[in-house]
Amino acid sequence: MPTQIEPALLTELRGRLRTARRVFVLTGAGVSAESGVPTFRGGGQSGVWKGMPFDAISSYRMLQSDLPALWEWFDYRRNLLRDLRPNPAHLTLAAWQEKFAHLCLATQNVDGLHTAAGSRDVHELHGNIWTARCTQCDARESLREETNVTGAAMGATDAATGARERPPVCRSCGNAMRPDVVLFGEMLPAGVFEQAAEGAAACDLCFVVGTSSLVYPAMRLPEIALEAGAYTVEINPEATPFSALCHAAIQGRAGEVLPQLDY
Ligand code: BJW
Ligand code: ZN
């Protein structure tokens, strides 16, 4: 049974969407769950790979100690994502960009599905899984054109499959490249958090969609909106630390709730 929003709350939210001047949206893994992307936390084995918890693999420590294993983990993830498509939650948020003069969309997701849905200027707080970045000179390369990568270090470009060696070698300086994502213990890309925080501080309506609200500093963004006086709405099937702080916590799936809010 799809999520039913209480009628009085639905009326309230549609009214707020009609009159909002600046909207800020923070999304997390849950917004992509209905596309088939595993979340990190909250049940199942989604956050475990080869017996290691994801926060041990997606960490600065792993980058330093075992770059090939880090690539193997992200190649595995990219192969899972390759055929997945945006769901109604991504599509609704992309459509909102046409409705509001000011909509700021910040995501913790690295999957690129907001952009695939048509959203522009997405603030990707934790980077993007489809890009490699040089560990020395910061040159970037797209990994989109690569076909299925087996995960094993291959040593050289495979002409038959289109896969690059692991780790890829930077075409500018010859040093090793890394996945262009933000690992635990790393700083966010310069300016990205600050731009999102500006959007949060300036909004009058804020949506927090599909995030466990546990990871710093992204978890601060809805609090910034709240402190600035915005009406805040959480959409998540589970309660989070933000549920008790926000004005409205809708317990439901993003792909079912967001399209219902459309006015
Ligand atoms: C649905 C749904 C549906 C399901 N519809 N919803 C101690 C205290 C405070 C902070 C720290 C601390 N120790 C260390 C820190 C800092 C650390 C941190 O926050 N750790 C805490 C977890 C303890 N943060 C960092 O290290 C950050 N950097 C930083 O702080 O820099 C300063 C610094 C530098 C050096 C030293 C110390 C500080 C960087 C964080 C980078 C996070 N990176 C990851 C991995 C990215 C690469 C990869 O993809 O592998 O980003 S971790 C992972 O968590 C990923 C996510 O973006 C992020 C957030 O997760 P998210 O999106 O909330 O997903 P889930 O799975 O947690 O939740 C999904 C939700 O969806 C659930 O609630 C479901 O119910 C819901 N859901 N179906 C709607 N259909
Ligand atoms: Zn380089």
Side-chain angles (χ1 to χ4, degrees):
M1 168 104 159
T3 309
Q4 299 287 316
I5 306 171
E6 200 227 318
L9 179 58
L10 190 56
T11 306
E12 163 88 30
L13 294 178
R14 285 179 173 160
R16 288 193 178 268
L17 277 163
R18 261 193 303 276
T19 56
R21 294 212 308 228
R22 287 177 180 268
V23 178
F24 173 79
V25 183
L26 173 68
T27 66
V31 81
S32 295
E34 289 152 86
S35 292
V37 183
T39 59
F40 296 92
R41 302 170 185 84
Q45 289 294 301
S46 55
V48 178
W49 182 70
K50 293 194 171 180
M52 281 185 283
F54 76 89
D55 50 356
I57 318 167
S58 287
S59 69
Y60 182 64
R61 188 183 292 242
M62 183 60 88
L63 175 77
Q64 287 185 312
S65 63
D66 197 343
L67 184 56
L70 191 75
W71 270 104
E72 203 180 330
W73 159 240
F74 281 99
D75 283 337
Y76 162 76
R77 300 258 304 280
R78 222 174 304 102
N79 289 340
L80 284 183
L81 285 172
R82 206 168 289 280
D83 297 325
L84 303 186
R85 297 285 167 263
N87 68 56
H90 300 108
L91 296 171
T92 301
L93 293 174
W96 281 8
Q97 207 156 27
E98 309 307 323
K99 291 187 182 184
F100 298 105
H102 300 282
L103 182 128
C104 178
L105 174 58
T107 188
Q108 298 165 83
N109 299 346
V110 298
D111 56 30
L113 285 174
H114 282 303
T115 303
S119 286
R120 299 181 302 275
D121 304 324
V122 183
H123 301 287
E124 292 182 318
L125 300 165
H126 295 164
N128 192 300
I129 199 169
W130 297 102
T131 310
R133 185 174 92 233
C134 178
T135 52
Q136 296 302 317
C137 77
D138 274 357
R140 285 181 168 77
E141 278 182 33
S142 173
L143 299 166
R144 285 269 182 201
E145 281 68 42
E146 284 190 343
T147 47
N148 225 21
V149 176
T150 60
M154 284 170 291
T157 302
D158 184 329
T161 65
R164 290 276 306 280
E165 67 275 39
R166 289 292 182 262
V169 170
C170 175
R171 295 181 213 264
S172 303
C173 75
N175 281 294
M177 301 193 88
R178 55 166 287 179
D180 191 16
V181 300
V182 182
L183 304 166
F184 273 121
E186 292 191 303
M187 305 298 281
L188 272 54
V192 177
F193 179 81
E194 290 73 11
Q195 285 169 19
E198 262 177 43
C203 77
D204 45 16
L205 184 57
C206 165
F207 288 87
V208 186
V209 186
T211 173
S212 55
S213 290
L214 292 173
V215 175
Y216 180 86
M219 54 167 278
R220 275 288 298 141
L221 293 168
E223 294 172 359
I224 291 171
L226 198 59
E227 287 156 15
Y231 185 89
T232 54
V233 184
E234 179 181 68
I235 301 170
N236 195 315
E238 307 288 336
T240 77
F242 193 64
S243 309
L245 304 176
C246 64
H247 294 90
I250 304 175
Q251 291 216 327
R253 288 149 62 98
E256 294 170 359
V257 172
L258 279 167
Q260 292 184 56
L261 301 185
D262 245 352
Y263 54 96

